[in-house]
Amino acid sequence: MKMIRISPRQALKMRALRRRSSIVERVLMVDQILSEFRLEREELKEVMRRMQREMDRGLRMETHDEASVKMLPTYVRSTPEGSEVGDFLALDLGGTNFRVMLVKVGEDEERGWKVETKHRMYSIPEDAMTGTAEMLFDYIAECISDFLVKHNLKHKKLPLGFTFSFPVRHEDIDKGILLNWTKGFKASGAEGNNVVGLLRDAIKRRGDFEMDVVAMVNDTVATMISCYYEDRSCEVGMIVGTGCNACYMEEMRTVELVEGDEGRMCVNTEWGAFGDNGELEEFRLEYDRKVDETSLNPGQQLYEKLISGKYMGELVRLVLLKLINENLLFQGEASELLKTRGSFETRFVSQIESDSGDRKQIYNILTTLGVLPSELDCDIVRLACESVSTRAAHMCGAGLAGIINSMREHRNQEALKITVGVDGSVYKLHPCFQDKFHNIVRELTPRCDITFIHSEEGSGRGAALISAVACKMAASMLSQ
């Protein structure tokens, strides 16, 4: 039998080919695992249709209680006209940071009115978030007191607008019952109670300042009103940050929970709970189920858990562990840190996808997590981040398309021109989320002309503007 002699150069070529072949094979296997996150256009249309169906159920009296999308009336019926002026205090509670803001609303010849703000951020201790309602609201009152001292306002009784970004059933613009905590809050004794009442009681217990709480709104509502100040076509407000939610101006005749058929009222969809009745089961993956099982509220806020910043980093971490277990990443070895829940922060997702191509940023993040990645490892981690964030953008876009198409149908309009005000860290800081989100919304709403505006300080400024409207309406009622 004749021996075939291979030269050193040929041997090198063969090794290189085998290596290339194994790299291609590895990339294909990674792609197969990540392909679960890709949603076809028809699947997104189905998500949109189901969202619209739940929205309709939430609006109707007979189906409201069992609907996953609660469509809560906010009692915000009118938008600022420009003649509301004065100093207002705004509070913004919606995550682990709490903000107190002084908002000066003044007249402006060109735009009707101008808004100036000064604010201070306070971090909420874990024991206040998970202790009692009294502890949480006493801490909020303490922060207000500190802010008033720093700005020499202790002697003034200012109108106060409270942005409270949790599911609330409003009974009036200054009265709302907390339905349930989300975003890691668990303060006992708050659910089922009037949030404004809890705040007023805490202010009274301190006794060192007076405050007139005139309005409580959701952060989406505050964002919408704040953006209305920039663009009078803004009738939708959205947050894509720690949480994810949307509100919009609905025709009063379809809001069965409130009497009256004339005009429009802002409805807080609380769409984060979409899917809690099983509407998203075939779209949820093993990673989503794991995130849900280990969350503070298993079985709740399932739509939000596919999209928001609170969960995005953890979803990526679970995907990376899957790839490691399949021996497709980091030579099949996970560091202890990477095995730890919550170690892969959502900001890493944005930073990795912002990498310029030299992989330095990706490499630095992964080494802080205790792994030494190859170039291919860095590329695979980027692909995992892109898969999770793209699905989030597309899922979110399908929901917003449902709202906008519903608005057009309820208004009996052939075409709709609308502006959407958006705020939140994922929308603001992720390098690709905005474009992917905008594109899907526009694809799914062919008869709508949509403008997106990013809201700056929307939560606080919007709360103050709503307080200004509430004060003006109260004054006009007294003078009648």
Side-chain angles (χ1 to χ4, degrees), residues 309 312-314 316-317 342-350 369:
M312 194 183 283
E314 181 62 6
V316 170
R317 187 186 74 85
S343 61
F344 199 98
E345 298 174 38
T346 293
R347 66 188 173 94
F348 295 162
V349 181
S350 294
L369 289 166

Side-chain angles (χ1 to χ4, degrees), residues 16 49 143 146 184 203 276 301 380 423:
R49 284 190 288 266
C143 295
D146 175 76
I203 291 169
D276 292 8
Q301 301 295 109
I380 289 170
D423 202 356

Side-chain angles (χ1 to χ4, degrees), residues 326-341:
E326 298 286 334
N327 208 25
L328 297 169
L329 189 62
F330 309 142
Q331 296 181 326
E333 293 290 328
S335 67
E336 284 308 309
L337 200 50
L338 205 51
K339 289 176 189 172
T340 307
R341 187 159 70 92

Side-chain angles (χ1 to χ4, degrees), residues 44-198:
L44 290 170
K45 281 184 179 176
E46 183 57 29
V47 171
M48 178 186 79
R49 284 190 288 266
R50 290 182 194 184
M51 175 69 80
Q52 286 180 281
R53 196 155 56 236
E54 282 304 299
M55 285 168 60
D56 286 340
R57 279 159 50 78
L59 286 169
R60 289 204 305 273
M61 189 78 80
E62 60 182 313
T63 50
H64 171 80
D65 287 346
E66 68 229 29
S68 62
V69 182
K70 288 298 180 199
M71 305 297 281
L72 303 168
T74 65
Y75 289 81
V76 173
R77 298 169 191 260
S78 59
T79 42
E81 295 168 0
S83 55
E84 304 86 358
V85 295
D87 290 358
F88 302 88
L89 207 66
L91 310 182
D92 182 10
L93 178 67
T96 48
N97 290 322
F98 165 67
R99 197 161 52 142
V100 185
M101 186 183 289
L102 174 66
V103 183
K104 292 177 174 288
V105 184
E107 292 183 41
D108 183 275
E109 282 181 21
E110 280 182 35
R111 304 171 77 171
W113 79 97
K114 61 181 179 182
V115 181
E116 294 172 4
T117 59
K118 293 176 184 174
H119 74 266
R120 188 173 179 84
M121 199 77 86
Y122 298 88
S123 187
I124 300 179
E126 182 75 21
D127 60 349
M129 287 173 66
T130 57
T132 65
E134 200 168 286
M135 287 166 65
L136 175 62
F137 284 90
D138 281 350
Y139 178 74
I140 289 170
E142 183 188 322
C143 295
I144 298 170
S145 179
D146 175 76
F147 183 87
L148 294 173
V149 168
K150 284 184 166 59
H151 292 277
N152 196 27
L153 292 165
K154 233 10 184 334
H155 60 289
K156 278 191 167 186
K157 185 180 179 180
L158 295 173
L160 183 148
F162 189 10
T163 301
F164 185 75
S165 307
F166 301 92
V168 165
R169 188 182 73 249
H170 275 269
E171 294 178 358
D172 210 329
I173 196 159
D174 66 344
K175 185 179 183 185
I177 309 301
L178 174 64
L179 297 177
N180 57 278
W181 284 119
T182 56
K183 304 177 213 171
F185 279 74
K186 278 284 176 189
S188 61
E191 292 179 352
N193 281 312
N194 175 19
V195 175
V196 173
L198 293 170

Side-chain angles (χ1 to χ4, degrees), residues 9 21 54 67 72 78 112 116 118 127 138 159 176 239 245-246 291 297 323 392 396 401 442 444 448 457 465:
R9 182 179 289 179
S21 166
E54 282 304 299
L72 303 168
S78 59
E116 294 172 4
K118 293 176 184 174
D127 60 349
D138 281 350
I239 303 288
N245 192 20
V291 161
N297 54 348
L323 294 170
C396 191
R442 290 187 172 118
L444 297 176
C448 301
E457 295 182 342
L465 289 167

Side-chain angles (χ1 to χ4, degrees), residues 26-42:
R26 191 170 149 201
V27 169
L28 286 171
M29 288 170 76
V30 167
D31 185 66
Q32 191 176 351
I33 287 169
L34 297 180
S35 67
E36 286 189 296
F37 285 92
R38 285 182 215 127
L39 294 164
E40 300 298 328
R41 203 54 29 88
E42 278 311 308

Side-chain angles (χ1 to χ4, degrees), residues 313 316-317 320 329-330 335-339 342-356 358-374 377-379 381-382 385 430-431:
V316 170
R317 187 186 74 85
L320 299 186
L329 189 62
F330 309 142
S335 67
E336 284 308 309
L337 200 50
L338 205 51
K339 289 176 189 172
S343 61
F344 199 98
E345 298 174 38
T346 293
R347 66 188 173 94
F348 295 162
V349 181
S350 294
Q351 288 163 4
I352 284 167
E353 291 191 56
S354 300
D355 188 89
S356 58
D358 60 9
R359 304 181 183 88
K360 273 186 189 169
Q361 199 151 262
I362 305 173
Y363 183 86
N364 290 340
I365 288 167
L366 293 175
T367 51
T368 63
L369 289 166
V371 290
L372 284 172
S374 66
D377 285 335
C378 289
D379 292 342
V381 169
R382 183 178 187 135
C385 290
H430 190 281

